[in-house]
Amino acid sequence: MKRKSSHTAPDKTIGRPVGSKREDTIARILDSALACFTSHGYASTKFKDIAVGANITSAAIYQYFDSKPALYIAVVDHIYQDIYPRFQQAIESSTRLKERIRNLVEAMVSLHEQSPLKSGFLSSIPLETQRHETLKEIFSHRENEMRALQARIFEDAIKNGEINPEWKVDNLVMMFFGSMSGMANYQLSVEGTSLRQAADIYLSMMELHLLR
């Protein structure tokens, strides 16, 4: 008489669903994490909330991301993979600051219209890194290609004599990208507002007072 095995069949609900690929599961986790981080903030986001949106268990997330900071950074990188080529194309399409700024604004507004969650998440990064030492430490040791790309347009403009050479590049980056992020956040929270129209007004003001 054969002895009955003491092992039980594995729970099929744990981990990725049957038939799905690893990449599909990671994509669902990242999409759910993006929604949770944007809606609830870094501190209030729990793996169990992300798991619900990704249709997996909380424990299964650890098969792909060993901590919440690692998952947060993965979301950042995932978004950058999408927007970096857009920004790069906007900058390389011209050598003049005026056209570059207009192209960048169009890229940022289009991103916001296509994916408000991504826009909202990106604008929250500076605040989250100041609130949480773990994130601040991680970002301080990362090479930031996006930041270098942002700085490049103003570095080139100063060399070409298009803007005041006494203005620091870091402050120019803060002025431009900080303003766009702030407007995007405001539009998300106030009904009836239009980021596209606000951006047009902003561009008109810049061309009057900033660009030579």
Side-chain angles (χ1 to χ4, degrees):
M1 181 177 179
K2 294 183 179 180
R3 294 182 59 184
K4 191 174 183 179
S5 173
S6 60
H7 297 289
T8 57
D11 186 347
K12 293 183 179 180
T13 64
I14 296 178
R16 59 193 184 199
V18 175
S20 70
K21 297 180 180 179
R22 176 183 175 85
E23 292 76 14
D24 295 334
T25 305
I26 292 175
R28 292 204 313 278
I29 294 172
L30 292 175
D31 286 344
S32 181
L34 169 63
C36 290
F37 285 135
T38 305
S39 300
H40 309 308
Y42 178 81
S44 298
T45 294
K46 310 298 181 185
F47 268 23
K48 65 179 181 180
D49 302 318
I50 297 172
V52 170
N55 193 31
I56 60 175
T57 65
S58 300
I61 295 179
Y62 287 98
Q63 297 178 26
Y64 309 96
F65 304 99
D66 60 8
S67 66
K68 186 161 71 169
L71 179 51
Y72 186 87
I73 296 301
V75 173
V76 174
D77 289 341
H78 182 61
I79 297 175
Y80 278 1
Q81 287 174 5
D82 176 29
I83 67 173
Y84 186 89
R86 302 190 195 195
F87 281 20
Q88 189 174 38
Q89 182 179 9
I91 290 173
E92 293 180 350
S93 62
S94 175
T95 59
R96 302 293 299 174
L97 179 61
K98 182 177 179 180
E99 285 77 18
R100 283 177 162 183
I101 289 291
R102 281 204 165 272
N103 292 339
L104 276 171
V105 167
E106 175 58 33
M108 296 172 78
V109 171
S110 295
L111 172 68
H112 182 78
E113 292 175 343
Q114 293 167 11
S115 182
L117 282 177
K118 289 182 180 179
S119 180
F121 177 86
L122 289 174
S123 64
S124 71
I125 292 176
L127 184 58
E128 295 288 19
T129 55
Q130 290 303 311
R131 284 176 173 172
H132 306 286
E133 284 297 325
T134 302
L135 294 180
K136 188 175 184 179
E137 178 70 12
I138 293 173
F139 275 99
S140 68
H141 290 90
R142 284 167 54 87
E143 291 186 10
N144 195 333
E145 293 182 356
M146 183 64 70
R147 172 65 183 77
L149 188 65
Q150 293 169 349
R152 176 181 151 195
I153 62 172
F154 296 110
E155 291 169 347
D156 289 348
I158 290 174
K159 291 177 183 177
N160 295 335
E162 295 177 275
I163 54 177
N164 190 334
E166 296 181 359
W167 289 335
K168 293 183 64 176
V169 170
D170 285 344
N171 293 334
L172 288 164
V173 170
M174 176 177 65
M175 176 278 302
F176 176 65
F177 290 95
S179 297
M180 289 299 300
S181 295
M183 288 191 290
N185 261 343
Y186 189 91
Q187 194 277 326
L188 288 174
S189 60
V190 181
E191 293 184 6
T193 56
S194 166
L195 178 60
R196 184 168 292 278
Q197 187 174 94
D200 285 340
I201 297 169
Y202 177 61
L203 281 170
S204 297
M205 294 173 62
M206 286 188 66
E207 290 172 359
L208 284 172
H209 303 289
L210 175 65
L211 306 180
R212 291 183 175 181

